[in-house]
Amino acid sequence: MRLDGVLLSLDIDGTLDCGNPSGRLCRQDALAAVEAGALIGSASDRTASDQVRVWAGWRVTPTFVVPKHGLAEVAARFPGWSRLHVGDGFVDWLEATRAGFDFLNVADLAATPWSLPAALQPWYQHRDQPSRRRATPHPEEESDAQLRLSM
């Protein structure tokens, strides 16, 4: 699985498990994308220095850290790349689509991995491997599993 030519932007709060509130994506998700060749970074309401601290805590070197309204500058640096921003709210969607990024709500990623753009589906598949899962489940994972079983 290769993700060469894919630019992956992540919101922090509500998207990453280290965010406030905690989100569904974990360090292993970021590492899997990087290992597959994607360029990864963050677009957040947090300051750039705070975003850098988050990545440093994960021991991941991001390609970019910008405020959400800075996604257009990132897009301009990578013309012709597939661009995806994963976030959890309206402002994420708004700023991503204004900048020419596809948008994926992190809740949709967790519930329906098949909704991913085709280039990113292999990236998501690693989440099924026990060694790649978070040690502590997200509080909503149990209820999501129960919902899927009842369908």
Side-chain angles (χ1 to χ4, degrees), residues 5-16:
V6 174
L7 188 62
L8 182 60
S9 169
L10 303 173
D11 180 29
I12 295 175
D13 297 320
T15 301
L16 303 183

Side-chain angles (χ1 to χ4, degrees), residues 2 15 65 67 78 81 89 99 113-114 119 127 131-132 134-136 147:
R2 293 300 304 163
T15 301
V65 292
F78 298 94
W81 285 61
W114 54 88
R127 294 178 62 83
S131 64
R132 295 276 196 181
R134 286 188 299 279
T136 55
L147 177 64

Side-chain angles (χ1 to χ4, degrees), residues 5 10 21 27 29 31 36-37 41-42 44-45 52 57 62 86 89 91-92 95 99 108 114 125 138 140 142 144:
L10 303 173
R27 178 177 184 267
D29 297 322
L31 289 175
S42 54
S44 173
D45 296 321
V52 168
V86 181
V91 174
D92 289 292
E95 296 298 342
D108 293 337
W114 54 88
Q125 297 305 317
H138 189 278
E140 294 177 16
E142 201 172 301
D144 285 349

Side-chain angles (χ1 to χ4, degrees), residues 44-59:
S44 173
D45 296 321
R46 293 181 180 214
T47 63
S49 60
D50 196 29
Q51 292 180 58
V52 168
R53 278 193 293 277
V54 167
W55 290 110
W58 272 11
R59 292 172 301 204

